[in-house]
Amino acid sequence: MHALLRRRGVIAALLLALVGLGALALLLTGAGQNSEAPRGGPITMASTDGAFSLSHLTEDQIAVVSFGYTSCPDVCPITLAMKRQALAQFDESIRERIVPVMITVDLERDTLARLREYVSAFGDEFIGLVGTPDELEDVAKRYGVVWQRREATDSTMAYTVDHTAGLFLVNREGVILERVLYSPTPSALVSALDRELERGTG
């Protein structure tokens, strides 16, 4: 009898773990959100490079926008490294048309100074954005991004943040040109950039 109860307890724990992993997978892939396509739109926030607005881009530039945070243990550094690898596959004149942007979802810890140190490790062209709670909420809603704080009481991090990890290729009007799913390799992003740079950003 006790063995049966223990077995049921193990099964229940496994099911809870699978539910948690499933929720994380939904956040990483961007699935399970509103069925309507994200409408994008303006992004205007304080940044590691001064006041930032998509409208400051030139007509032939594309912002590669992702959401994350500096304490992220895996997905965010992999995403930024992947952006760097993608940029390295273009010559300098093309790279000037690509603006890599990360918007933090951890307003409690991510100051501009902390974010500047973090993104600069991936390249001088990387820009980090820190919005007010209202600004972040507005942009995240329009871009179909979700995030969820998870307490980590037995860790020095105190908490982690599960978040949508896809990329958005966006022009100066805030039009989402393409969405690229999270990947540790740059091939999908390079292909998307090739398409959009060739056809222009309109």
Side-chain angles (χ1 to χ4, degrees), residues 27 29 43 46 48 53 55 60 65 72-73 76 99 106 120 135 144 184-185 200:
L27 289 169
T29 60
I43 298 176
T48 55
S53 173
S55 63
D60 65 346
V65 179
C72 181
C76 301
V99 182
D106 187 359
S120 66
E135 288 171 341
T185 61

Side-chain angles (χ1 to χ4, degrees), residues 68-133:
Y69 65 112
T70 63
S71 300
C72 181
D74 40 36
V75 171
C76 301
I78 289 173
T79 296
L80 268 63
M82 183 269 289
K83 287 187 190 181
R84 181 177 61 189
Q85 292 166 7
L87 285 169
Q89 298 193 34
F90 297 94
D91 63 36
E92 185 175 353
S93 63
I94 297 299
R95 285 200 303 271
E96 291 176 352
R97 298 175 57 193
I98 304 168
V99 182
V101 174
M102 185 182 100
I103 301 174
T104 182
V105 295
D106 187 359
L107 301 184
E108 182 175 331
R109 290 183 294 207
D110 283 347
T111 62
L112 277 175
R114 180 169 178 162
L115 195 55
R116 182 179 296 109
E117 180 180 6
Y118 183 78
V119 299
S120 66
F122 297 91
D124 293 339
E125 63 269 62
F126 280 71
I127 300 174
L129 271 57
V130 180
T132 65

Side-chain angles (χ1 to χ4, degrees), residues 41-44 52-63 143 169-177 201-202:
I43 298 176
T44 302
F52 175 89
S53 173
L54 285 175
S55 63
H56 295 163
L57 300 179
T58 61
E59 290 187 0
D60 65 346
Q61 284 184 312
I62 295 174
Y143 280 77
L169 273 57
V170 188
N171 68 11
R172 68 190 308 271
E173 283 81 31
V175 175
I176 298 174
L177 306 170
T201 61

